[in-house]
């Protein structure tokens, strides 16, 4: 696997950032979470005047072999149908990207359908979906490396355009199943607490999904007495999910702010942070979704999401909804007056 050189943001600037925040014309600490967000972004960018220039959103598509086991309410053809819909501007992700000024890239990393002739879809297809991990690893080591590389390449393109804040979303029927296994194996949380309804399966469907994932996990553990995050990601992940891991790590190398979406992208963030712990310093978690276990995963990472709106769409929509809060934190640093300039007596 590619090695990433991610450095912790230099803390030397923290006192100066805090002094600026404390001298804005407001009571100390009165803007709460906006102040801590401002501190994080200033440290990432090593400046007292941060910027969210050229925000980019990567929408990564891929199919999953495990979908063949009936673990999702929706059939796999929904993946390619939605990918085409995104090119026409008709998805939730399209609306939110337009609202908040994000440049949207729609990328086929492993959709089980020929999309190369569809205008507006970037073709980075590795295969027509992953293998069925109930019986074998979802991808080969070479495919894993290729998926990581897709994420790196996409982020490099965004950086060349001046991107300072990156959001990532996914489209892939069945991808809550690998996310549940990533969470279970990397957070040591009982599998029963990691498996949820996904796109809306009923209680019997959840029981079936749990059985399939339990058998898949047992196959893996029988073959691996010890394992690391790369092993877990390769064994169960989707191409779009592994590409997201590569994108998050490369964005941290470039010192970008990374907005993390719901259950699937939080699982990608989990793998990224298990591979390179300092990557989490660059992440802002957009929301806590409805999928069973998402809150537990966030707690295991020590992550504090900005929103809890009951979202479970994916596509990066929750992270995009959180962007205005981040924008407010940056505007606070750049647009609020301080006590001296405003000729206001400092109050607490």
């Amino acid at each position: 696997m590619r090695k990433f050189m991610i450095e912790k943001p230099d803390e030397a600037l923290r006192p100066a950032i805090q002094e600026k925040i404390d001298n804005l014309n407001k009571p100390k600490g009165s803007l709460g979470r906006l102040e801590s967000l401002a501190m994080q972004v200033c440290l990432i960018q090593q400046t007292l005047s941060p910027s969210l220039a050229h925000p980019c959103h990567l929408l990564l598509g891929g199919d999953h072999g495990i979908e063949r086991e009936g673990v999702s309410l929706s059939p796999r053809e929904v993946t390619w149908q939605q990918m085409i819909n995104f090119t026409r501007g008709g998805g939730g992700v399209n609306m939110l990207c337009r609202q908040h000024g994000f440049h949207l890239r729609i990328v086929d990393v492993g959709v089980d359908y020929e999309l190369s002739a569809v205008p507006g879809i970037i073709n980075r297809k590795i295969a027509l979906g992953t293998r069925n991990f109930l019986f074998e690893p979802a991808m080969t080591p070479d495919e894993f490396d290729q998926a990581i590389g897709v994420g790196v390449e996409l982020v490099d393109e965004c950086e060349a355009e001046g991107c300072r804040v990156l959001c990532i979303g996914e489209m892939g029927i069945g991808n809550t199943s690998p996310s549940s296994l990533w969470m279970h194996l990397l957070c040591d949380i009982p599998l029963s607490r990691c498996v949820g309804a996904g796109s809306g399966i009923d209680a019997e469907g959840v029981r079936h999904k749990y059985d399939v994932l339990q058998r898949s996990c047992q196959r893996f553990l029988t073959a691996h007495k010890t394992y690391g995050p790369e092993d877990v990601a390769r064994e169960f992940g989707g191409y779009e999910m592994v590409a997201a891991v590569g994108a998050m790590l490369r964005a941290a190398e470039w010192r970008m702010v990374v907005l993390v979406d719901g259950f699937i992208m939080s699982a990608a963030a989990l793998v990224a942070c298990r591979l390179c712990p300092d990557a989490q310093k660059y992440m802002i978690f957009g929301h806590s979704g409805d999928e069973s276990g998402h809150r537990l995963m966030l707690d295991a990472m020590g992550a504090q999401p900005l929103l809890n709106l009951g979202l479970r769409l994916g596509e990066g929509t929750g992270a995009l909804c959180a962007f205005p809060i981040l924008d407010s934190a940056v505007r606070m640093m750049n647009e609020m007056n301080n006590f001296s300039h405003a000729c206001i007596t400092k109050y607490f």
Side-chain angles (χ1 to χ4, degrees):
M1 176 183 163
R2 176 193 176 106
K3 300 300 181 184
F4 292 88
M5 303 298 294
I6 297 171
E7 298 179 357
K8 288 182 181 179
D10 189 346
E11 291 282 325
L13 196 60
R14 181 179 288 273
I17 299 168
Q18 192 63 57
E19 182 179 14
K20 181 174 181 178
I21 291 172
D22 290 344
N23 282 288
L24 298 174
N25 53 346
K26 59 174 181 58
K28 185 177 180 180
S30 61
L31 283 178
R33 188 69 188 276
L34 295 186
E35 298 188 18
S36 60
L37 282 173
M39 174 64 75
Q40 183 179 358
V41 177
C42 286
L43 285 173
I44 288 171
Q45 298 184 357
Q46 290 292 291
T47 180
L48 300 180
S49 301
S51 167
L52 299 177
H54 194 68
C56 288
H57 185 87
L58 303 178
L59 194 287
L60 309 172
D63 280 306
H64 297 253
I66 198 65
E67 178 270 340
R68 302 297 192 193
E69 301 301 320
V71 295
S72 175
L73 181 66
S74 303
R76 70 168 46 204
E77 58 260 30
V78 171
T79 303
W80 69 259
Q81 291 166 357
Q82 275 285 49
M83 292 289 283
I84 293 174
N85 180 47
F86 296 144
T87 69
R88 298 168 178 163
V93 66
N94 300 96
M95 172 267 294
L96 290 166
C97 282
R98 288 192 295 267
Q99 180 183 1
H100 301 308
F102 275 72
H103 179 198
L104 174 62
R105 281 177 166 83
I106 305 165
V107 188
D108 173 9
V109 192
V111 178
D112 188 10
Y113 193 81
E114 181 52 61
L115 294 170
S116 60
V118 180
I121 295 181
I122 299 170
N123 182 14
R124 295 294 182 271
K125 191 190 298 289
I126 296 168
L128 295 168
T130 57
R131 296 163 186 81
N132 186 343
F133 61 63
L134 178 60
F135 305 109
E136 61 182 322
M139 63 187 76
T140 67
D142 285 347
E143 288 170 339
F144 177 85
D145 290 344
Q146 189 177 347
I148 290 286
V150 168
V152 169
E153 175 193 349
L154 292 168
V155 170
D156 285 348
E157 292 173 1
C158 293
E159 195 280 335
E161 296 171 357
C163 173
R164 302 314 309 151
V165 56
L166 182 77
C167 187
I168 309 170
E170 40 64 39
M171 182 64 227
I173 297 302
N175 57 16
T176 61
S177 290
S179 299
S180 296
L181 286 170
W182 283 8
M183 171 187 173
H184 167 57
L185 290 165
L186 296 179
C187 296
D188 197 26
I189 295 172
L191 182 59
S192 60
R193 304 189 71 186
C194 303
V195 179
S199 59
I201 55 177
D202 60 16
E204 179 56 36
V206 173
R207 284 192 290 271
H208 170 70
K209 180 178 178 180
Y210 171 79
D211 178 66
V212 170
L213 298 188
Q214 185 181 46
R215 286 187 286 142
S216 302
C217 188
Q218 187 56 50
R219 180 193 61 76
F220 171 72
L221 292 176
T222 299
H224 295 78
K225 302 305 180 185
T226 61
Y227 56 85
E230 183 177 343
D231 302 311
V232 173
R234 184 173 63 242
E235 187 79 20
F236 302 110
Y239 297 124
E240 83 286 15
M241 296 168 64
V242 174
V245 172
M248 291 176 182
L249 293 173
R250 184 57 169 162
E253 279 192 316
W254 281 118
R255 297 186 177 275
M256 292 181 186
V257 176
V258 180
L259 274 170
V260 180
D261 191 44
F263 185 55
I264 289 91
M265 288 297 96
S266 293
L270 171 66
V271 170
C273 293
R274 291 293 191 268
L275 290 168
C276 300
D278 289 337
Q280 191 164 341
K281 300 289 186 182
Y282 297 85
M283 297 177 181
I284 294 170
F285 291 79
H287 77 110
S288 177
D290 267 0
E291 181 67 20
S292 175
H294 189 200
R295 179 71 259 183
L296 291 174
M297 188 196 305
L298 293 172
D299 287 346
M301 299 177 70
Q304 296 296 319
L306 294 177
L307 301 173
N308 186 345
L309 301 177
L311 305 175
R312 57 182 179 88
L313 177 60
E315 303 173 12
T317 51
L320 289 165
C321 281
F323 176 74
I325 299 173
L326 178 62
D327 187 38
S328 293
V330 168
R331 288 177 182 272
M332 178 194 78
M333 293 298 288
N334 294 326
E335 298 180 18
M336 280 187 71
N337 210 340
N338 60 37
F339 287 108
S340 176
H341 289 161
C343 298
I344 296 173
T345 300
K346 192 170 184 178
Y347 65 105
F348 300 94

